[in-house]
Amino acid sequence: MSIRSTRKEEHLALAQKFYKNEKSNSFDQMHLVRPALPETNVNLQAISTKMFGKTVSAPFFINAMTGGSKKSFAINQALGKIAQQTHIALALGSASILVKEADQLDSFIIARQENPNGVLLANVNAKTSVRDAEKIIAELQADALQVHLNVVQEIAMPEGDRDFHWLANLQELRQQITVPIIIKEVGCGLDQATIHRLKKEGITFFDIAGSGGTNFAQIENARNPQPLAYLENIGLPTVIAAVLAANEDVDLIVSGGIRNPLDVFKGLCLGGKYVGISNTFLQVLLQDNGFENLLQLIKEWQKQLAYLMAIYGQNNLTDLPKIKRYFDLPLKAQIDQLLQK
């Protein structure tokens, strides 16, 4: 395998090694007020929504994971089949490897082949040229393009980039790419100032990808002979990132540490139009009988999200941000400090 493909497989192995299904995060410090008399019924149709012009069965989706190696092929094939059978969207991992290794296309395109009509998101790094991005979008028949910002990961990565002058290229992508562009972090959280700055450039879709889930600084440190351990704790927690981003009046995807349907529901209550899940789904898939287990888990999450809609007296996804919420004092203090002018 090439160096890039080897790195992809190392990322998968390390994500599995460091995964903790009971890991606490900022969602544990967020609480919702429930009506004792909800006057609702469980309705699976209530969680159906539109995503990039197509109907999906739920507002949560399989977020970016992998691509570009032999193991990635099998994973994306399975995820494509599961997305097709559950009618949810699927975002692929970074396809930037295709710029220099076009022979790795099969490990990405297999997902589209398994799910020819579903919502599929391509993913590239912030320095990918317009020409290369357009080629990737066309090859994958992608409905939208995620562009990831991963400075912390690159610094922790021993062979990572050291030049982060990305704005000019993002401007070109915004001006020339015809599908929707989503600016996405990779587990360290999008800050409000960055969202505000890119909103001025005409970008209106953001995936905050806050801290609390996969920690790419930790993963890269495990590969780095001179690890930078302090980088593992500088991320912006998902709930805080979402609260701040909601002030910018943009289309928001909430991701980063989603562990269960209640986290999904809270993400929607924070203003997320959609909620993305990566490692929680990946680790189920990597276990014995993983395909069937993940397929059934997603179907169960769909039902349980409908249960939560009924519990909280809701019939419309767009009304979820109106649900009263409160935070544990440590989290509230952090939010209050960041909201101060």
Side-chain angles (χ1 to χ4, degrees), residues 84-109:
Q84 191 274 332
Q85 292 183 36
T86 57
H87 305 291
I88 64 172
L90 167 62
L92 296 173
S94 175
S96 299
I97 189 174
L98 298 179
V99 176
K100 295 185 178 181
E101 298 185 35
D103 60 326
Q104 297 291 346
L105 177 62
D106 285 353
S107 67
F108 294 93
I109 204 170

Side-chain angles (χ1 to χ4, degrees), residues 77-332:
Q77 182 177 38
L79 293 176
K81 288 180 180 179
I82 290 170
Q84 191 274 332
Q85 292 183 36
T86 57
H87 305 291
I88 64 172
L90 167 62
L92 296 173
S94 175
S96 299
I97 189 174
L98 298 179
V99 176
K100 295 185 178 181
E101 298 185 35
D103 60 326
Q104 297 291 346
L105 177 62
D106 285 353
S107 67
F108 294 93
I109 204 170
I110 185 63
R112 174 51 88 191
Q113 292 170 344
E114 296 292 350
N115 188 18
N117 301 312
V119 176
L120 185 71
L121 281 59
N123 182 306
V124 296
N125 63 42
K127 64 180 183 180
T128 303
S129 70
V130 169
R131 179 181 177 182
D132 290 331
E134 287 178 333
K135 183 179 180 182
I136 289 168
I137 292 166
E139 289 173 332
L140 300 180
Q141 301 173 49
D143 298 286
L145 178 69
Q146 291 180 331
V147 182
H148 62 262
L149 309 182
N150 63 333
V151 176
V152 175
Q153 180 190 10
E154 294 289 348
I155 289 293
M157 188 189 304
E159 69 275 44
D161 290 337
R162 296 296 182 262
D163 184 351
F164 307 116
H165 291 92
W166 292 337
L167 182 59
N169 193 58
L170 293 176
Q171 291 169 328
E172 288 189 28
L173 290 171
R174 167 63 186 86
Q175 292 164 5
Q176 299 186 50
I177 296 296
T178 57
V179 300
I181 291 178
I182 304 163
I183 298 298
K184 181 187 185 301
E185 238 284 350
V186 296
C188 280
L190 280 178
D191 61 291
Q192 186 176 353
T194 295
I195 293 174
H196 187 78
R197 184 174 188 180
L198 291 175
K199 181 183 174 183
K200 288 183 177 180
E201 301 296 336
I203 296 173
T204 60
F205 232 115
F206 297 86
D207 183 341
I208 56 172
S211 68
T214 306
N215 188 326
F216 275 98
Q218 181 185 38
I219 286 174
E220 298 299 353
N221 276 334
R223 302 177 59 248
N224 196 334
Q226 295 181 313
L228 308 175
Y230 54 84
L231 294 180
E232 297 175 16
N233 299 307
I234 66 172
L236 188 64
T238 301
V239 170
I240 295 178
V243 170
L244 299 178
N247 293 324
E248 292 299 323
D249 190 26
V250 294
D251 289 322
L252 190 63
I253 293 172
V254 173
S255 70
I258 306 297
R259 304 157 299 182
N260 53 56
L262 182 57
D263 288 346
V264 172
F265 193 74
K266 288 179 178 180
L268 298 170
C269 292
L270 286 166
K273 194 169 185 178
Y274 312 109
V275 174
I277 304 100
S278 296
N279 209 13
T280 297
F281 287 168
L282 175 63
Q283 298 313 316
V284 174
L285 184 63
L286 293 178
Q287 302 304 313
D288 292 340
N289 201 31
F291 179 89
E292 285 300 326
N293 288 340
L294 180 55
L295 178 63
Q296 293 308 314
L297 179 70
I298 290 175
K299 289 180 178 180
E300 188 62 31
W301 278 36
Q302 290 169 327
K303 288 192 297 183
Q304 291 184 24
L305 184 58
Y307 295 166
L308 287 164
M309 292 281 287
I311 287 171
Y312 283 89
Q314 301 298 315
N315 296 299
N316 195 321
L317 291 170
T318 59
D319 290 335
L320 297 190
K322 299 176 184 177
I323 295 176
K324 288 186 177 181
R325 60 181 186 250
Y326 60 97
F327 305 110
D328 291 349
L329 290 179
L331 184 65
K332 183 181 184 299

Side-chain angles (χ1 to χ4, degrees), residues 50-70:
K50 289 281 188 178
M51 189 173 189
F52 305 120
K54 297 179 179 178
T55 299
V56 290
S57 64
F60 66 84
F61 68 100
I62 303 168
N63 214 346
M65 295 191 201
T66 191
S69 71
K70 184 177 180 180

